[in-house]
Amino acid sequence: MSDLVTLTIDGTELSVPKGTRVADAAKSVGIDIPVFCHHPKLEPVGACRMCLVEIGMPMRDRATGEPMLNEDGSPKINFGRGLQTSCTAVVGEGMVVHTDTEAVTDVRGTLLEFQLVNHPLDCPICDKGGECPLQNLVMDHGKMESRVYFEDKRRSDKHVSLGDLIFLDRERCIQCARCIRFQDEVADDRVLQFHNRGVNLEIVTMSDPGFDSYWSGNTTDICPVGALTTADFRFGARPWEMTPSASICSQCAVGCNMTVNTRREARSGGKPVIKRILPRQNEAVNELWLCDKGRFTHDYVASPERLTSPMMRKDGELVAVSWDEALNAAAEGLQAASSVAGLAGQRLSNEDYFMLQKLFRKGLKSGNLDVNNRQIGGGDVVAQVGIAAGSDLQQLGKGDAILVVASDLHEEAPLWWLRVKQAADRGAALVVINGRSTRLSSHATHNLQADSGDIVATVRQLVSMAKVETDGTGALDAAAETLITANNLVAFYGYEGLSYEETESLAKALANLLLIQMDGEPHVGRMNNGLIPVWPYANTQGAWDMGIHPALLPSYKAAKMTGMDAVAMFAGAADGSLDALYVVGADPIGDGWMADRGKLGLLIVQELFMTKTAVTADIIFPAQSWAERDGTFTNGERRVQRYYPAIRPAGDSRPDWQILSQLGERVGAGKAETVTSLVFRSLTKAARQYKGMDYRSLGQVEAQWPVVGGDDRYYGGNAFANTAGLGKQWAAVAESKAVKQFEMDDAVSSREDGLLLINAASLYTAGTLIDKSAVLAPRMAKITLTINPVDATAYEDGDTLMVRTDRVTVQATAVVSDDVMVGTAVLRGVKAMNGTAVARLSKIKE
Amino acid sequence: MFETFAALAQGMATSFKHLFMKPVTIQYPEEKRQVHERFKGRHVLNRYDNGLEKCIGCALCAAACPADAIFVEAAENSDDERYSPGERFASTYEINLLRCIFCGYCEDACPTEAITLEHNYELSFYDREGAIYTKDMLIVDVPVNGRSTPQPVEPGAFNRAIPEMEDPK
């Protein structure tokens, strides 16, 4: 308890942790001190002076050091001569704070008058108008009359494009530097800066392209005025006109909580459309942030290319038919087929996966189920030693360690990158093992570059070093020592440069590392310890949990008979041994897994868009997008989170689970389900990890710090208070019983001779959904090939190269850099694939 | 008895007197009654003298409307296609006159005096959709010497958010 400090604010006595700022302390007892530059997630600067309060400390006798007392025995308080900024002042024992004296009120009015000297007061057309901290504070504390002539206001540019995503209005800026500090401290993309001084101070971007950051949208949220606005929402709607709906991002495995703002619109015939997406507070998942991909990728939902009615091939042409006709034909076709298989995308909800496996296992008596683009294995290992329920990366700091293997978190799961980086900033040891330098490497305590093909071997060597106490001095030894002696250890693993089988052994190797007992305790089964897979999609975890796997039933029970996996399905389609394929939310032809539909007798596709696979299908079912329906996603930390419908369905589309259950009813898989929450209820009975969860408990919230989104005047920024659920993590096996070390095969290096090509992920890689985003279009990743100068003797920066491997032939721009190791080339901007391949390069003459 | 006849005579006298008075009824629609200056009839969207629209698409009228009769969608002006002097204009402006209660709050909320309730009270529709007046129906004619919108203008000529033009008349 010695870490608590007791002080009095406006007569309320409170105890807060040492080091708390006065403004935060006041908020914790419900006293709002107005702020502009202060933000609870940023370091204080004391730039705006809005939070000035009277702060007094008890006086002590200089000679004796004894507290001085008034005549009535109360301690004598010295308030000093002036006011102090409560955002920078740290609480002290016995401190007395007055926030409502005449001096404080007076200075607030004066400061606001000062802020408005050059502010254009164009609130009627400002996108922030209605949710603007400056507007709110002026209404609360302002003097309501200006002594400044309107004509004397500083004039400046009103429509400055900071890159393609963010617009700056220089007149509205009040120079609080929140955006600059966010970019520097939180995002570590130092692309914004102040230019000039005094009244001419302006925000400039120093990058090319402008504001080159995956986090730019967050600066518009935290801007306390309307100076920064996003391109997709510019003049889109007034804040009070929109309806918020809680949602979960469907773009990566982090599962960021967000709020979809919708409004009726003339262009949609009076139906609600998505106007913007804002973060929703979940301190254990995404805090108050969202990456730009999550924020701006929603355009596909309203795309005119969406499928709106069921279709069937008649006389070689796809024609629109009724649901009943399509469902009956699909049921007949599947039952008549000699062999059937189901292939699912990895963005479906848990309910969809559950109904899919029910359709196949119960209705069609087939275990041929797998996910498309399966890139990372080890879901069964994660179920054993996954990060423990209740963990929060925000709690990791000094004395803890994080290990990241074969993943570029910045490109694959930006929010995890942010939180891992911040943990490293707080003092956590960070060990990065990869075939090349990534964004995270510069924050790493130990950055170990493993030769491509040897990543798993390197990790296994690390694990064996950690098992025995060695006195080695090598980098690997030091890293092993750091990891194993850490109080808490979290390990992330991905698939960069690894085959699917290698990711499986990597998961086991990391599990063995976590299972090593240090002082009798392994790094599993307790909070802030365990394994996190960097799944390539939003609900890969759910696909594992629901048994979309040829050998695993829901809740990881082994199936009696192993079915066909995705690779076998593609081969079966090509050689005719597979008769019917049912594809849900996936595009195996577009992704290059299948050349065409091959000898399939029946191809059924359930999709949002007319993909390359759908074009060749016999029956197409139009599905609802994530914004049009409810459901649950399970993120990489195994947190089951619920999302809610925001807009009305496109055309005649139906939710995936409904299509699957209506089809299931026709093939004898039980009565069709009608309500998502009831599907979830039956799902919890089959998947025992989900036991005890229901839509109500997933929708429960608890108080979070910092307090956001209320009517208060303290946190000035757009973020939504979470009122729709924080989700629930399911417990890994290690949390209730001991897990044994995993058996592993002998390590085999997959190192081949020649220039090895690693396929690295880029956040903005072209895909069916992101391609529809008008805002992100100019930012889409260009196809580049990074080569070490040693290998690039014949090529220069900027050359156009033809890259050929066994699997891909692609044209790429050369980047010569020693970020990659000799003998390795890194291909970016094409859909990421597993493993390494020998690349043959040739220069294209211009 | 006398009192009864007196009352009767009085009533008859009133009727008789009205035979020679000017009638209050008028021959609508040939004849139209003059309304008071502050009469609140159908809204119009006004223009500046040069033809630019006064409406900046701020939707404060829609926010003020107690009957939720107004719907506004905004878009950004460019110098090639300028509708209003500032950055923003109303790309969609609709008033559902079946919902409107002619309270005039929209007029009060408008920061540019773009919307005013005028003297037109002749509102009749064949169906409910006909009661939704769009921007084309609400906006006044282009003044003499003015140009229609959108109009191309000199770059940078209208860079203020809230236009600084002479007080709207």
Side-chain angles (χ1 to χ4, degrees), chain B residues 1-18:
Chain B
M1 184 67 109
F2 175 75
E3 281 174 10
T4 312
F5 277 104
L8 197 64
Q10 200 178 7
M12 294 300 283
T14 305
S15 301
F16 196 72
K17 193 168 76 192
H18 274 261

Coordinates of all heavy atoms in Angstrom, one line a residue, chain B residues 1-18:
Chain B
M1 N -93.2 38.4 -23.9 CA -93.6 38.4 -25.2 C -92.9 39.4 -26.1 O -92.3 39.1 -27.1 CB -95.1 38.6 -25.3 CG -95.7 38.5 -26.7 SD -95.7 36.8 -27.4 CE -97.4 36.4 -27.3
F2 N -92.8 40.6 -25.5 CA -92.2 41.7 -26.2 C -90.7 41.4 -26.3 O -90.1 41.6 -27.4 CB -92.4 43.0 -25.4 CG -91.6 44.2 -25.9 CD1 -92.0 44.8 -27.1 CD2 -90.4 44.6 -25.4 CE1 -91.3 45.8 -27.7 CE2 -89.6 45.6 -25.9 CZ -90.1 46.2 -27.1
E3 N -90.1 40.8 -25.3 CA -88.7 40.5 -25.3 C -88.3 39.5 -26.4 O -87.3 39.6 -27.1 CB -88.2 40.0 -24.0 CG -88.0 41.0 -22.9 CD -87.7 40.5 -21.6 OE1 -87.4 39.2 -21.5 OE2 -87.7 41.2 -20.6
T4 N -89.2 38.6 -26.7 CA -89.0 37.6 -27.7 C -88.9 38.3 -29.0 O -88.0 38.0 -29.9 CB -90.1 36.6 -27.7 OG1 -90.3 36.1 -26.3 CG2 -89.8 35.4 -28.5
F5 N -89.9 39.1 -29.3 CA -89.9 39.8 -30.6 C -88.8 40.7 -30.8 O -88.2 40.9 -31.9 CB -91.3 40.6 -30.8 CG -92.4 39.7 -31.2 CD1 -93.3 39.2 -30.3 CD2 -92.4 39.2 -32.6 CE1 -94.3 38.3 -30.8 CE2 -93.4 38.4 -33.0 CZ -94.4 37.9 -32.1
A6 N -88.4 41.4 -29.7 CA -87.2 42.3 -29.8 C -85.9 41.5 -30.2 O -85.2 42.0 -31.1 CB -87.0 43.0 -28.4
A7 N -85.7 40.4 -29.6 CA -84.5 39.5 -30.0 C -84.6 39.1 -31.4 O -83.6 39.1 -32.2 CB -84.5 38.3 -29.0
L8 N -85.8 38.7 -31.8 CA -86.0 38.2 -33.2 C -85.7 39.3 -34.2 O -85.0 39.2 -35.2 CB -87.5 37.8 -33.4 CG -87.8 36.9 -34.6 CD1 -87.0 35.6 -34.5 CD2 -89.3 36.6 -34.7
A9 N -86.2 40.5 -33.9 CA -86.0 41.7 -34.8 C -84.5 42.0 -34.8 O -84.0 42.4 -35.9 CB -86.8 42.9 -34.2
Q10 N -83.9 41.9 -33.7 CA -82.4 42.2 -33.7 C -81.7 41.2 -34.6 O -80.8 41.6 -35.4 CB -81.9 42.0 -32.2 CG -80.6 42.8 -32.0 CD -80.2 42.6 -30.5 OE1 -80.8 41.9 -29.8 NE2 -79.2 43.4 -30.2
G11 N -82.0 40.0 -34.5 CA -81.4 39.0 -35.3 C -81.6 39.2 -36.8 O -80.7 39.2 -37.6
M12 N -82.9 39.5 -37.1 CA -83.2 39.8 -38.5 C -82.5 41.0 -39.0 O -82.1 41.0 -40.2 CB -84.8 40.0 -38.6 CG -85.6 38.8 -38.3 SD -85.2 37.4 -39.4 CE -86.1 38.0 -40.9
A13 N -82.4 42.0 -38.2 CA -81.7 43.3 -38.6 C -80.2 42.9 -38.9 O -79.7 43.5 -39.9 CB -81.7 44.3 -37.4
T14 N -79.6 42.1 -38.1 CA -78.2 41.7 -38.4 C -78.1 41.0 -39.8 O -77.2 41.4 -40.6 CB -77.6 40.8 -37.3 OG1 -77.8 41.4 -36.1 CG2 -76.2 40.5 -37.6
S15 N -79.0 40.1 -40.0 CA -79.0 39.4 -41.3 C -79.2 40.3 -42.5 O -78.5 40.3 -43.5 CB -80.1 38.3 -41.3 OG -79.9 37.4 -40.3
F16 N -80.1 41.2 -42.3 CA -80.5 42.2 -43.3 C -79.3 43.1 -43.6 O -79.0 43.4 -44.8 CB -81.7 43.0 -42.8 CG -82.4 43.7 -43.9 CD1 -83.1 43.0 -44.9 CD2 -82.3 45.1 -44.0 CE1 -83.7 43.7 -45.9 CE2 -82.9 45.8 -45.1 CZ -83.7 45.1 -46.0
K17 N -78.6 43.5 -42.5 CA -77.5 44.4 -42.7 C -76.4 43.8 -43.5 O -75.8 44.4 -44.4 CB -76.9 44.8 -41.3 CG -75.9 45.9 -41.3 CD -75.6 46.4 -39.8 CE -74.7 45.4 -39.2 NZ -74.6 45.6 -37.7
H18 N -76.2 42.4 -43.3 CA -75.1 41.7 -44.0 C -75.4 41.6 -45.5 O -74.5 41.3 -46.3 CB -74.9 40.4 -43.4 CG -73.9 40.4 -42.2 ND1 -72.6 40.1 -42.4 CD2 -74.1 40.9 -41.0 CE1 -72.0 40.3 -41.2 NE2 -72.9 40.8 -40.3

